Amino acid sequence: MDKNRIAKTIISFALIVFFLSGCTKRTEVVSIDDVNDLHGLSVGTILAWECDYLLTPREDLVLYRYDQISDMLMALNYDKIDAIAVDILLWNLIDDASNGLKMIEPAFGYTGYLLYARPELKDFVDEYNAFLKEFKKTEEYKDLIDRELSFDGNYESPDIPLTGKGKTIRVASDIAGYPRAFYDVENSEVCGFDFEVLKRFANEYDYQLDIVMTDFNDGYAGLNSGIYDVLIGYLSDTYREEVEKIGFLVSDTFDYVPLVFVCKETTGNIEVDMDSLE
């Protein structure tokens, strides 16, 4: 369940260009006519990410798991697999940095994102869930969802200064969770879609946030040992049941995004635009 999202940043696509060259073998373009029945096609996914969990039970496809996005795209380029499965934000990042791929519609599923908390923080999670119920009725929430669904690879953070003066909550998050949770070096602030919600909640309930940008493994271990109170950033509701069995509290989801299949447009090679990586 390693959610290290360093490959999620646009810079990671620079790795791809060193592999994507040469001739392909397929003589026909793969056609996916029904996302619910792939008729034995081979699909790549990142190991233990949302799509891996959701597609594992399906018998209509052959699943290939990869550790890195670059390895998965290389396999697609060389026709070792017929398609890949990703969330819509990752697809938009890939689409922004490359040519020669297309998204298959409609989505084959959806995933929601949430936060984990120590078992001692039940009141905190109850407050967070109550906040979400009301926040989802606001124009700010509608704007957040619209920006997620239209995300083009560039995230612009809304101005949400932290104003809480009450209890301090120690928050851990993966520093490479772009665009959901990451550190903006240029503006020296923690931001992302997930943090927009958490910041608004903290202001509403007068919490102070002590945010540590680390990696998923440290955040998860720190939550277990009591170093951190909350873990946030690309945490899918796909893992809810197993996380709750461990003993952590899990919040309600604050948004949902589509999961989609992606394949090549033609039998040619995928081209990566290096200018878009700068």
Side-chain angles (χ1 to χ4, degrees), residues 125-249:
V125 174
D126 287 344
E127 290 174 341
Y128 189 77
N129 290 340
F131 165 79
L132 288 178
K133 185 176 181 179
E134 297 304 316
F135 179 57
K136 290 178 179 180
K137 302 174 184 178
T138 66
E139 288 299 317
E140 288 83 1
Y141 182 74
K142 182 180 183 300
D143 174 69
L144 184 151
I145 298 302
D146 288 345
R147 286 185 289 112
E148 281 192 342
L149 296 179
S150 62
F151 176 68
D152 63 358
N154 298 304
Y155 173 84
E156 294 187 8
S157 177
D159 186 22
I160 311 175
L162 292 172
T163 59
K165 302 296 183 182
K167 181 180 179 180
T168 297
I169 299 297
R170 297 164 295 177
V171 181
S173 185
D174 192 333
I175 196 170
Y178 184 85
R180 303 203 65 93
F182 65 101
Y183 186 76
D184 184 342
V185 177
E186 183 177 346
N187 296 311
S188 300
E189 66 172 340
V190 176
C191 55
F193 293 120
D194 294 14
F195 272 106
E196 289 183 36
V197 181
L198 184 60
K199 287 179 179 180
R200 293 186 187 280
F201 162 74
N203 291 343
E204 180 77 16
Y205 281 79
D206 198 36
Y207 282 108
Q208 298 184 67
L209 300 180
D210 179 12
I211 301 172
V212 177
M213 300 305 290
T214 179
D215 60 38
F216 174 81
N217 290 331
D218 175 71
Y220 194 84
L223 190 66
N224 190 49
S225 64
I227 296 176
Y228 306 122
D229 297 315
V230 168
L231 181 63
I232 193 171
Y234 258 113
L235 302 180
S236 170
D237 61 352
T238 306
Y239 318 117
R240 175 187 289 275
E241 184 175 345
E242 68 177 75
V243 172
E244 289 179 332
K245 285 181 178 179
I246 292 172
F248 293 148
L249 299 177

Side-chain angles (χ1 to χ4, degrees), residues 26-274:
R26 183 180 290 118
T27 58
E28 297 180 358
V29 178
V30 169
S31 175
I32 298 178
D33 300 316
D34 184 353
V35 296
N36 297 308
D37 188 356
L38 297 194
H39 302 288
L41 292 180
S42 56
V43 176
T45 185
I46 300 299
L47 178 66
W49 283 16
E50 298 90 329
C51 293
D52 183 7
Y53 273 57
L54 292 176
L55 292 176
T56 292
R58 287 182 51 165
E59 299 179 352
D60 63 310
L61 54 82
V62 179
L63 202 59
Y64 289 81
R65 298 172 177 88
Y66 297 88
D67 291 322
Q68 299 292 336
I69 297 170
S70 55
D71 294 339
M72 182 172 67
L73 289 177
M74 180 174 66
L76 181 60
N77 180 74
Y78 280 108
D79 300 322
K80 301 300 183 183
I81 54 178
D82 299 308
I84 61 174
V86 293
D87 67 78
I88 195 71
L89 297 181
L90 178 52
W91 158 241
N92 287 334
L93 283 172
I94 295 172
D95 188 40
D96 184 60
S98 63
N99 293 311
L101 296 174
K102 64 179 180 180
M103 180 183 73
I104 306 300
E105 295 187 281
F108 69 82
Y110 290 83
T111 186
Y113 293 100
L114 36 73
L115 60 76
Y116 305 162
R118 293 191 298 111
E120 296 84 358
L121 294 181
K122 184 178 184 305
D123 289 345
F124 173 89
V125 174
D126 287 344
E127 290 174 341
Y128 189 77
N129 290 340
F131 165 79
L132 288 178
K133 185 176 181 179
E134 297 304 316
F135 179 57
K136 290 178 179 180
K137 302 174 184 178
T138 66
E139 288 299 317
E140 288 83 1
Y141 182 74
K142 182 180 183 300
D143 174 69
L144 184 151
I145 298 302
D146 288 345
R147 286 185 289 112
E148 281 192 342
L149 296 179
S150 62
F151 176 68
D152 63 358
N154 298 304
Y155 173 84
E156 294 187 8
S157 177
D159 186 22
I160 311 175
L162 292 172
T163 59
K165 302 296 183 182
K167 181 180 179 180
T168 297
I169 299 297
R170 297 164 295 177
V171 181
S173 185
D174 192 333
I175 196 170
Y178 184 85
R180 303 203 65 93
F182 65 101
Y183 186 76
D184 184 342
V185 177
E186 183 177 346
N187 296 311
S188 300
E189 66 172 340
V190 176
C191 55
F193 293 120
D194 294 14
F195 272 106
E196 289 183 36
V197 181
L198 184 60
K199 287 179 179 180
R200 293 186 187 280
F201 162 74
N203 291 343
E204 180 77 16
Y205 281 79
D206 198 36
Y207 282 108
Q208 298 184 67
L209 300 180
D210 179 12
I211 301 172
V212 177
M213 300 305 290
T214 179
D215 60 38
F216 174 81
N217 290 331
D218 175 71
Y220 194 84
L223 190 66
N224 190 49
S225 64
I227 296 176
Y228 306 122
D229 297 315
V230 168
L231 181 63
I232 193 171
Y234 258 113
L235 302 180
S236 170
D237 61 352
T238 306
Y239 318 117
R240 175 187 289 275
E241 184 175 345
E242 68 177 75
V243 172
E244 289 179 332
K245 285 181 178 179
I246 292 172
F248 293 148
L249 299 177
V250 179
S251 76
D252 293 341
T253 56
F254 41 77
D255 63 358
Y256 282 91
V257 298
L259 303 175
V260 298
F261 292 119
V262 172
C263 67
K264 293 169 69 174
E265 289 184 338
T266 68
T267 58
N269 293 322
I270 303 169
E271 297 179 357
V272 178
D273 180 5
M274 291 301 294

